[in-house]
Amino acid sequence: MKIFILSGGAIFVSHTIKNLNAHNHLYTLNKFRSNALASFQAFINSSSGAEDIKDALLIQVSKAIYDPNVSGYLSKDDSHQIGTGIEIIKKMIDGK
């Protein structure tokens, strides 16, 4: 009986730690994305109006926001599953 209680407790703790790590990962990424967007807006407001600079900034901020990032909170097994939206859509279309 003690084995069942201990194994249940171990499963509960393991699940809780995984949820905490996922929460911290998402918090870190959302904070990073928020900072990238705020910095972009500050650069755009202070730039002299050169369109090529604004376009380059927009590309870099888009990459920072939409590309998958590693925060260090997920294990290596979980982090390799991250893919870009285009890769996910291609897999769905190909049926793989």
Side-chain angles (χ1 to χ4, degrees), residues 6-37:
L6 290 176
S7 63
I11 290 171
F12 174 75
V13 168
S14 172
H15 185 70
T16 303
I17 289 172
K18 273 192 134 177
N19 280 341
L20 178 65
N21 285 338
H23 176 356
N24 287 338
H25 170 75
L26 291 174
Y27 173 79
T28 303
L29 291 184
N30 288 335
K31 192 69 169 170
F32 170 72
R33 291 171 179 156
S34 173
N35 289 339
L37 190 58

Side-chain angles (χ1 to χ4, degrees), residues 5-89:
I5 293 172
L6 290 176
S7 63
I11 290 171
F12 174 75
V13 168
S14 172
H15 185 70
T16 303
I17 289 172
K18 273 192 134 177
N19 280 341
L20 178 65
N21 285 338
H23 176 356
N24 287 338
H25 170 75
L26 291 174
Y27 173 79
T28 303
L29 291 184
N30 288 335
K31 192 69 169 170
F32 170 72
R33 291 171 179 156
S34 173
N35 289 339
L37 190 58
S39 298
F40 171 71
Q41 290 171 343
F43 279 125
I44 292 299
N45 292 339
S46 66
S47 67
S48 61
E51 290 299 319
D52 55 340
I53 294 174
K54 288 182 181 181
D55 290 341
L57 282 171
L58 181 61
I59 290 170
Q60 292 302 317
V61 168
S62 298
K63 285 182 182 179
I65 291 174
Y66 294 112
D67 281 352
N69 297 310
V70 178
S71 66
Y73 284 105
L74 299 181
S75 66
K76 291 181 182 180
D77 295 336
D78 294 336
S79 63
H80 81 281
Q81 296 174 354
I82 298 173
T84 62
I86 295 172
E87 292 172 358
I88 294 170
I89 292 172

